[in-house]
Amino acid sequence: MPDHLLLRAAFRQPVERTPVWMMRQAGRYLPEYRAVRAKADFLTMCKTPELAAEVSLQPLDLIGVDAVIFFSDILTMLEPMGLELVFEKGGGPRFPEPINGPEDIERLHVVDPADGLGFVGDALALCRKQIDGRVPLLGFSGAPFTLATYAIEGCTGKGFNKVKHWYYREPKTLATLLEKLARQVTSYLNYQIASGAQAVQLFDTWAGTLSREDYRTIAAPFTRQVIDRLNRDGVPVIIYINGGDHLVDEMAQLGADVLSLDWRTDIGAVKQRHGQTHALQGNLDPCALYGTEERIRLEVQRILDAAGPTGHIFNLGHGIHPDVPPENARAMVRAVQELSRRS
Amino acid sequence: MPDHLLLRAAFRQPVERTPVWMMRQAGRYLPEYRAVRAKADFLTMCKTPELAAEVSLQPLDLIGVDAVIFFSDILTMLEPMGLELVFEKGGGPRFPEPINGPEDIERLHVVDPADGLGFVGDALALCRKQIDGRVPLLGFSGAPFTLATYAIEGCTGKGFNKVKHWYYREPKTLATLLEKLARQVTSYLNYQIASGAQAVQLFDTWAGTLSREDYRTIAAPFTRQVIDRLNRDGVPVIIYINGGDHLVDEMAQLGADVLSLDWRTDIGAVKQRHGQTHALQGNLDPCALYGTEERIRLEVQRILDAAGPTGHIFNLGHGIHPDVPPENARAMVRAVQELSRRS
């Protein structure tokens, strides 16, 4: 039986209080992160286990979270498959040569993560060592649909017209890509688990752009394929979709242990529908951290009341914003830890 | 009793077939639109009634839609209030001096639309004349929350952190801005109705970023205030939210006649919940127009089956994409008009 609060909550076992962590908690809102980032570019940080471990552990010491998620980006795993990845100064990640057709899919190779992604295993091992049992270590990967979106669009935030063009015009070609990505994600996550990850989160960040029927057709089968093949003995699987309120009932069909909800979903209603089979993670609006401490505590209390004392991992509904004062993140974490305590 | 298909559908009266139009139907996907646009910039087109009327009527003749919506932008109404508006080449609209605090709200003035926005009344009158009774003419406005988002963020597509910062930090200041915008939207829409608009649509495009509770607190009261004060004798009111699946039950409390749904909402489920009190508009994924004619017809049929024969205005779930071939838009309109026909 797992000992850590977060692992017990993920398996809906009794806890003394609700565990809490934040998506993107190792990030730019921390001056200590920016100090490391000033010395190395983003990909160098991902690929240097000492730097990755350093920033991964910062929120544990500085903010007091109940889990460490190793520092990386969901796109790094596409590079050894054959997609050159560029992080441009001031911008997001970009693939200069995105997937344009079947021949580009052909040239993508499913690789052994120990080759090409060995820095991830090293970072995880180093994190585990430095955490020294205080909290669990989380691994993560993009889900196949979200990875395909980046691989086809070439960058993020520009809409999803190309990937949907494929879906409506060449659904079989898109499925070929997704199937390949599903195999890579599976081996990548199993490699993370073998390297020390004690829970894994699948980010299907952009699946919220799909209707329920389209999600069921093009995204869910490949996510389910990944989850089915994970070596998950004692390792809970968390699934996250941004803007996925209309997909929650589909998320509950994937075989995951934990449904991670964005702030637009009524966590109490999901608890009623799926609380018997799933733990829930979330779901404070990341912008609530702009509020006063008093306002933050009110919002935390509201979510704790709705989610109940068991089967809940407190988190933001999306990544923490870079302009949030660290003090406000601390206030949120403190509020969860105090207000959820069962005496 | 109104005669036009769309007006009858909006009031849930019997129709021979389902009416259809498309958000952003007067737009860049049409070569004939681009020909006009090549001669005048966007704001000049908005402000020149002859040009605005010309492009407004293009989809009536070229695509065969069942309604004309006058050509404009939701942001033009903020200019006479005191916010300078710039359309940059290749980019979207931008306010060089966005609202930064209470003193900026102070300097915004609610104006008589006949001053400052007279070109809108002229464009509507000219559209009515040229349509000559063939189809109804739609007016529109942004809803207060969405307008506030633009006014505070300064531009679109960059997230909603500033407006939410206000919400969590200075909710009363934000409410002051929204109340002023609500008064301006009310007089603007009543001016459009007086100028010939036979139905009006409120675009609360960005309200989908709010949780249900936050929508209820900060957006809904001001939209309701607008709707309550419209001179709507025989003029149906349509409310649209992008990404608003989680807000549909709140939309149904606003007093509108028609709920316009994006493609992620199950229109059949909304029909069951709200079909006795509201007509529904939507909700094809705009990307479905990338599909083959056969695929488009399948998707149209699926929505017609779910929405039923009365109380439905067919539309896209969001604006038509600029790279859709006009032939595909025609195929969609034709499919609706053929497949929904009651003999």
Side-chain angles (χ1 to χ4, degrees):
Chain A
M1 175 160 156
D3 202 25
H4 292 298
L5 274 178
L6 182 138
L7 299 179
R8 281 186 277 146
F11 291 124
R12 288 167 290 122
Q13 294 166 353
V15 286
E16 308 84 78
R17 62 166 178 79
T18 301
V20 53
W21 67 284
M22 298 183 297
M23 287 188 265
R24 235 181 277 155
Q25 64 186 15
R28 280 196 284 148
Y29 73 103
L30 284 175
E32 293 81 359
Y33 170 94
R34 295 196 300 270
V36 178
R37 182 71 184 73
K39 296 181 294 187
D41 65 34
F42 189 89
L43 274 180
T44 302
M45 282 171 68
C46 292
K47 293 179 180 177
T48 310
E50 293 71 23
L51 296 179
E54 181 181 353
V55 297
S56 300
L57 266 78
Q58 284 177 346
L60 176 60
D61 299 320
L62 297 167
I63 307 294
V65 291
D66 294 312
V68 164
I69 184 163
F70 87 103
F71 177 79
S72 191
D73 187 88
I74 62 167
L75 299 185
T76 49
M77 64 156 270
L78 295 177
E79 221 179 8
M81 292 186 79
L83 269 174
E84 190 203 348
L85 178 63
V86 173
F87 274 78
E88 273 159 352
K89 220 176 158 66
R94 196 170 67 82
F95 296 110
E97 294 180 66
I99 302 283
N100 272 319
E103 64 290 347
D104 293 329
I105 299 174
E106 198 62 42
R107 70 173 163 86
L108 287 187
H109 295 290
V110 178
V111 299
D112 182 339
D115 308 327
L117 293 164
F119 57 87
V120 168
D122 295 342
L124 284 162
L126 197 53
C127 283
R128 271 298 285 271
K129 184 158 173 267
Q130 295 180 356
I131 295 170
D132 196 23
R134 285 175 286 171
V135 297
L137 174 63
L138 310 188
F140 70 96
S141 171
F145 175 77
T146 289
L147 292 171
T149 298
Y150 281 103
I152 290 172
E153 303 285 342
C155 59
T156 186
K158 296 279 186 165
F160 307 96
N161 293 10
K162 279 178 74 184
V163 69
K164 287 196 173 181
H165 196 290
W166 281 42
Y167 173 62
Y168 283 107
R169 202 88 199 179
E170 302 178 77
K172 281 180 192 163
T173 312
L174 181 57
T176 309
L177 173 61
L178 288 162
E179 199 278 330
K180 217 166 210 180
L181 290 169
R183 279 189 285 135
Q184 185 67 73
V185 170
T186 304
S187 65
Y188 183 46
L189 285 177
N190 280 332
Y191 174 67
Q192 292 184 31
I193 292 169
S195 303
Q198 293 159 284
V200 291
Q201 177 156 330
L202 273 161
F203 287 85
D204 212 353
T205 312
W206 302 131
T209 186
L210 297 171
S211 72
R212 188 164 170 179
E213 181 158 322
D214 293 346
Y215 178 77
R216 207 181 288 147
T217 307
I218 202 63
F222 301 97
T223 301
R224 198 180 297 117
Q225 178 185 318
V226 171
I227 294 176
D228 281 349
R229 297 175 188 178
L230 292 181
N231 304 326
R232 54 199 287 198
D233 185 31
V235 176
V237 177
I238 308 168
I239 173 77
Y240 170 72
I241 298 180
N242 185 29
D245 185 70
H246 61 298
L247 302 177
V248 168
D249 294 347
E250 298 300 319
M251 290 166 78
Q253 305 300 317
L254 298 171
D257 301 289
V258 184
L259 309 180
S260 188
L261 310 171
D262 98 356
W263 68 96
R264 288 165 284 196
T265 290
D266 179 341
I267 196 168
V270 179
K271 182 84 175 182
Q272 284 201 314
R273 292 209 305 281
H274 302 293
Q276 295 299 312
T277 51
H278 290 78
L280 304 181
Q281 180 171 273
N283 69 340
L284 185 68
D285 188 335
C287 290
L289 297 188
Y290 295 133
T292 58
E293 175 158 8
E294 187 190 0
R295 180 72 189 264
I296 290 169
R297 288 181 75 91
L298 275 173
E299 299 288 333
V300 165
Q301 186 69 65
R302 193 177 52 75
I303 291 170
L304 291 173
D305 290 345
T310 54
H312 181 216
I313 300 165
F314 200 100
N315 204 320
L316 303 176
H318 198 19
I320 184 169
H321 293 302
D323 58 348
V324 164
E327 183 47 41
N328 294 16
R330 267 191 294 274
M332 186 271 274
V333 167
R334 203 162 50 228
V336 175
Q337 293 172 344
E338 288 172 13
L339 299 172
S340 69
R341 190 169 292 281
R342 263 68 69 182
S343 50
Chain B
M1 175 161 155
D3 202 25
H4 291 298
L5 275 178
L6 182 139
L7 299 180
R8 280 185 278 147
F11 291 126
R12 289 168 290 121
Q13 295 166 351
V15 286
E16 307 85 75
R17 63 166 178 80
T18 300
V20 52
W21 67 283
M22 299 184 295
M23 288 188 265
R24 236 182 277 157
Q25 63 186 17
R28 279 197 286 149
Y29 73 105
L30 285 175
E32 293 81 357
Y33 171 93
R34 295 197 299 270
V36 178
R37 182 72 183 71
K39 295 181 295 186
D41 65 33
F42 189 88
L43 274 181
T44 302
M45 281 171 69
C46 292
K47 293 179 180 177
T48 310
E50 292 71 24
L51 296 178
E54 181 181 352
V55 297
S56 300
L57 266 77
Q58 285 177 345
L60 176 60
D61 300 321
L62 297 167
I63 307 294
V65 291
D66 294 313
V68 164
I69 184 163
F70 87 102
F71 177 80
S72 192
D73 186 88
I74 62 166
L75 300 184
T76 49
M77 63 156 272
L78 295 177
E79 220 179 11
M81 292 186 79
L83 269 174
E84 190 203 349
L85 178 63
V86 172
F87 274 78
E88 271 157 354
K89 221 177 157 65
R94 196 170 68 82
F95 296 109
E97 296 179 67
I99 301 283
N100 272 319
E103 63 292 346
D104 294 329
I105 299 173
E106 198 61 44
R107 69 172 163 87
L108 287 186
H109 294 291
V110 178
V111 299
D112 182 338
D115 307 328
L117 292 164
F119 57 87
V120 167
D122 295 342
L124 284 162
L126 197 53
C127 283
R128 272 298 286 271
K129 183 158 172 267
Q130 295 181 355
I131 294 170
D132 196 24
R134 286 175 286 171
V135 297
L137 174 63
L138 310 188
F140 70 97
S141 171
F145 175 77
T146 290
L147 292 171
T149 298
Y150 282 102
I152 290 172
E153 302 285 343
C155 60
T156 185
K158 297 279 185 162
F160 306 96
N161 294 10
K162 281 178 73 183
V163 69
K164 287 197 174 179
H165 197 290
W166 281 44
Y167 173 61
Y168 283 107
R169 203 89 200 178
E170 302 177 79
K172 281 180 192 163
T173 312
L174 181 57
T176 309
L177 172 61
L178 288 162
E179 199 277 332
K180 217 166 212 180
L181 290 168
R183 280 189 285 134
Q184 185 67 74
V185 170
T186 305
S187 66
Y188 183 46
L189 285 177
N190 280 332
Y191 173 67
Q192 291 184 29
I193 293 169
S195 303
Q198 293 158 284
V200 292
Q201 177 155 329
L202 272 162
F203 287 86
D204 211 354
T205 312
W206 302 131
T209 187
L210 297 171
S211 72
R212 189 166 170 179
E213 181 158 323
D214 292 346
Y215 178 76
R216 207 181 287 145
T217 306
I218 202 63
F222 301 98
T223 301
R224 197 180 298 115
Q225 177 184 319
V226 170
I227 294 176
D228 282 349
R229 296 175 188 179
L230 292 181
N231 305 324
R232 55 200 287 200
D233 184 31
V235 176
V237 176
I238 308 168
I239 174 78
Y240 170 73
I241 298 180
N242 185 30
D245 186 69
H246 60 299
L247 302 177
V248 168
D249 294 348
E250 297 301 319
M251 290 167 77
Q253 305 300 317
L254 299 171
D257 301 289
V258 184
L259 309 180
S260 189
L261 310 171
D262 98 355
W263 68 96
R264 287 165 285 196
T265 290
D266 179 341
I267 196 168
V270 179
K271 182 83 177 184
Q272 285 200 313
R273 293 210 303 282
H274 301 295
Q276 295 299 312
T277 51
H278 290 78
L280 305 180
Q281 181 171 272
N283 70 340
L284 185 69
D285 188 335
C287 290
L289 297 188
Y290 294 134
T292 57
E293 175 157 7
E294 189 189 358
R295 180 75 188 263
I296 291 169
R297 290 180 75 90
L298 276 174
E299 298 288 332
V300 165
Q301 185 70 64
R302 192 177 52 74
I303 291 170
L304 290 173
D305 289 346
T310 54
H312 180 216
I313 300 165
F314 200 100
N315 205 320
L316 302 176
H318 198 20
I320 184 169
H321 294 303
D323 58 347
V324 164
E327 184 47 40
N328 293 17
R330 266 191 295 274
M332 185 273 273
V333 167
R334 204 163 49 228
V336 175
Q337 293 173 343
E338 287 171 13
L339 299 171
S340 69
R341 190 169 292 281
R342 265 66 73 181
S343 50

